[in-house]
Amino acid sequence: MKKELFIVGAGSVGGHIAHNIVGYSDEYKVAGFFDDDLQKVGKTQFGIEVLGTVKDLLKLKNANVLIGIAFPKLKRKIIELLSVNQTLKFPTLIHPKAWISKGVSIGKGCIIYPGTTINYGSEINDFVCINMNCSLGHHTFVGRYSSFAPGVNTGGHSIVEEGTDIGIGASTLQGTCIGSNSIVGGQAMVISDVKAESTVVGIPAKLLNKSK
C-alpha cells in the first residue's frame, strides 16, 4: 500500500510532482495540497484537492510532506513554521532518470528532477530543489533551501551557500563560492566569489544589487 504524500504549494513545482509522482517513486501517492492561497483551498489543482493552508499541516501526525516550492526564502519560512510539529516527515524525491554518482550525500526534503547529474563528493543539503538537466561537478556543495532552475552547471568544488536561487542556464567556474541568500540571474557565468545576499547577472556575472 502506497504512503500518502502531502505537497505544500499548488504551483508549478507541486504540479510537476502531482503529474509525475509515479515516475519518481512507487512508494507514495499524492493525497492533497496545502497552500496559503485561499482561492485555491477547497478546490482542485492538477486534479488533486487543496486541503487547507500550510498551518493546517500542523494538525497532522506522522505525515509525509514535500515542499513543492522553489523560492528559498519561502521554503525556509515554511519549514520554520512546520518545525513545531516534530512528527512530520520530509522525504526526498529523486527521479530515476537523474544520475547520482556514488559518494554523493543528499539531505531530506529535496527534489532532484530528471536529466540532472551530480558527480562524486558532492553534498546536497536539506530542502534543495534541482530542476531538469542540471550538472553538478565533483565536490559541489549546495546549502539548505537553495534552488537551481533548469540547465544550471557548477564546476568542481563550487560552493552554493544556504538559500541561494540560481536562474536558468547559469554556470559557475570551478572553485567559486556563492554566498548565502544570493540570486544568480539566468545564463550568468560566475567566475569569482559572490558575497552573501547579492544579486549577480551577466557574462561574466557582475553585482546588480544586494538581494535583501
Side-chain angles (χ1 to χ4, degrees), residues 147-170:
S147 287
F148 289 18
V152 169
N153 294 280
T154 66
H157 291 281
S158 291
I159 297 173
V160 178
E161 293 186 346
E162 179 175 313
T164 293
D165 195 349
I166 303 185
I168 293 174

Side-chain angles (χ1 to χ4, degrees), residues 168-183:
I168 293 174
S171 300
T172 68
L173 191 66
Q174 60 266 29
T176 51
C177 175
I178 301 173
S180 60
N181 306 313
S182 291
I183 298 171

Side-chain angles (χ1 to χ4, degrees), residues 182-202:
S182 291
I183 298 171
V184 178
Q187 303 296 329
M189 178 66 202
V190 178
I191 64 171
S192 59
D193 291 352
V194 175
K195 292 182 179 180
E197 298 177 347
S198 297
T199 297
V200 295
V201 298

Side-chain angles (χ1 to χ4, degrees), residues 91-104:
T92 282
L93 293 184
I94 301 173
H95 197 280
K97 290 188 177 179
W99 180 80
I100 313 295
S101 171
K102 292 181 179 179
V104 171

Side-chain angles (χ1 to χ4, degrees), residues 60-111:
L60 302 183
K61 291 185 178 180
N62 300 309
N64 295 294
V65 178
L66 186 75
I67 309 301
I69 292 170
F71 303 109
K73 289 181 180 179
L74 184 53
K75 280 194 286 188
R76 181 188 288 112
K77 182 179 178 180
I78 290 169
I79 291 302
E80 289 173 352
L81 171 66
L82 296 180
S83 64
V84 299
N85 183 345
Q86 297 185 2
T87 73
L88 296 179
K89 303 171 186 177
F90 299 95
T92 282
L93 293 184
I94 301 173
H95 197 280
K97 290 188 177 179
W99 180 80
I100 313 295
S101 171
K102 292 181 179 179
V104 171
S105 65
I106 300 177
K108 66 183 178 182
C110 295
I111 306 173

